[in-house]
Each structure stands twice: as structure tokens, then as C-alpha cells.
Amino acid sequence: MVALSATQRAEIATCERRIETITGPLLKSLDADEWGDDEYAAVGALFGISGDDVPRAGSGHPRDPLKFDILGVLARHPAMARDFLTYNGFLLTRGELPLRLRELAVLRLSHARRSAFFWGEHVRIAKAGGLSDDYIDRLIRGNDEFDGAERLVLEATDQMLAAGRADPQTWQRLVDELGTRQAMELIFVVGTYAMLAMACDTWALVPPPGSALLPST
């Protein structure tokens, strides 16, 4: 687990208290009538399809953009969102790192950074990908109940969150266990999703109804 300093713990607690006083997100998702060609093109980049093929906002389709609050927020800057979501789509759907290891890392950083919105989003993604409630509960308790590649990914994620990098020994272990490409992807997953968690928490995004609650410990 990530070892936070007393100062870091105090800063997180202060932020959480301030967030509790906010009644709504600071940056809201687009309403249905705010979606246009540029916004649909940005979301299409995530799914690898053209903007014309993205289901219309409010259609009720499984990929209806209104069902994904973060997409409606990012689409407020469609040019940036299009390029970022092209890259993020690679990490989510076309990378070599298995979903199980990717979501272990993302859930660990969500828990360590106390990101309620990101925790709820990625518990949903992890469970849709086959991870069980028991598996996620073990992650909350620490690293001791994991071994092999899973334990290594958690330890590497903890190290990157605490020090801003993986040390040479950890990097070599990742390469030996996962291969160079998956090891490279893990570094980018932790960095990318730590940035997204920071953005979501800055904007005080609220987890959708029914989302998993961020554990208190």
C-alpha cells in the first residue's frame, strides 16, 4: 500500500471536507442539446468509430454519451478530448496489458488518492471485465493476499504513486514478469489514470446513482 506522509494525509482530509460542502460538480457534463459534430467525433475516437456512428445523446443506446458523465465533461473541449480519447482508447481496448492487471492498478490508485468518482467508475469496469467483489475487497486490504504478476503490479503502482516513478529494480521485475510492452503500458496506465482521477476530483464529479462507494480505509 502507498505510505502517505502526515502532511499528505492532512491535505487529503482537508480536500475531502471541502468536497463535502460542494452541492454539485464544478464542471458539468453536456446536456443532450449541447452535443454537436465535434463532440460526437471526440467520443467516436474512444470507440474507434466516426462521430456519425456514435449514438445520439439521449437515445438510450448502451453507448449513449449521456450514460458516461466523464465523456460529457471532456467533450466540453472537443479538440483536446478527441486526441486524448484516441490514446485512452488504446489503453482500454487495444493494449496488451490484461484488463485484470490494468484495473488492479487503476483501483489501487483510485483508493489511494481517495477518488470517489473514479473508484465507482472502475469498480463497474472491473466487474464487467470479470473481477469479483471478493477480488476487489482483497485489493482494499493491501497486497498480502496477492502473488505473482498481481502482487508485482500493486507494488509497482504503490511505488509510482509514492515516489513518482518505479525504481530500476521494480522496472526490471516488471519487464521480466510482463514483457517490455506490458510493462511500458502499466507505467502509462498509472500516470494517465492518476491524472484523470485528479481532474475528476478537481471538478467534483459525482458518482452516478448505484455506484460502488469508496471504502473508508
Side-chain angles (χ1 to χ4, degrees):
M1 295 287 284
V2 180
L4 298 176
S5 68
T7 299
Q8 289 172 316
R9 290 195 298 271
E11 289 174 347
I12 289 173
T14 299
C15 286
E16 288 180 336
R17 287 194 296 272
R18 288 174 179 169
I19 289 170
E20 288 174 356
T21 67
I22 298 172
T23 58
L26 301 179
L27 187 60
K28 294 183 179 180
S29 185
L30 293 170
D31 292 328
D33 60 0
E34 295 181 281
W35 286 84
D37 291 345
D38 290 343
E39 290 76 18
Y40 285 120
V43 172
L46 176 65
F47 299 127
I49 59 178
S50 72
D52 291 339
D53 293 329
V54 174
R56 302 298 91 170
S59 66
H61 187 279
R63 285 184 171 179
D64 178 347
L66 295 189
K67 293 186 176 184
F68 305 93
D69 286 352
I70 184 60
L71 295 183
V73 171
L74 294 177
R76 288 196 173 278
H77 192 331
M80 182 181 73
R82 182 174 61 250
D83 288 344
F84 174 74
L85 291 173
T86 298
Y87 156 72
N88 194 41
F90 173 83
L91 292 180
L92 282 173
T93 64
R94 299 187 296 281
E96 297 182 15
L97 187 68
L99 179 149
R100 172 176 50 87
L101 297 181
R102 185 192 75 216
E103 292 306 314
L104 266 179
V106 175
L107 287 172
R108 168 52 56 79
L109 75 86
S110 302
H111 187 250
R113 293 287 174 87
R114 310 304 300 153
S115 178
F117 179 85
F118 225 56
W119 175 265
E121 286 291 288
H122 279 271
V123 166
R124 177 181 59 80
I125 292 171
K127 292 174 72 171
L131 277 65
S132 67
D133 288 327
D134 176 69
Y135 191 90
I136 295 170
D137 288 344
R138 286 193 283 134
L139 176 146
I140 296 168
R141 292 193 290 269
N143 299 347
D144 291 344
E145 297 176 59
F146 294 90
D147 56 21
E150 296 172 338
R151 175 72 173 260
L152 176 57
V153 164
L154 289 172
E155 290 176 349
T157 300
D158 289 344
Q159 190 175 94
M160 285 185 276
L161 291 175
R165 63 183 177 182
D167 65 31
Q169 294 78 16
T170 300
W171 168 250
Q172 189 59 54
R173 290 172 63 206
L174 287 170
V175 171
D176 292 343
E177 180 73 33
L178 304 176
T180 299
R181 291 182 179 179
Q182 289 189 25
M184 290 175 66
E185 286 182 23
L186 178 65
I187 306 301
F188 277 85
V189 163
V190 173
T192 299
Y193 286 94
M195 175 197 67
L196 275 175
M198 178 181 65
C200 292
D201 294 338
T202 296
W203 299 326
L205 300 190
V206 178
S211 296
L213 298 178
L214 178 67
S216 59
T217 57

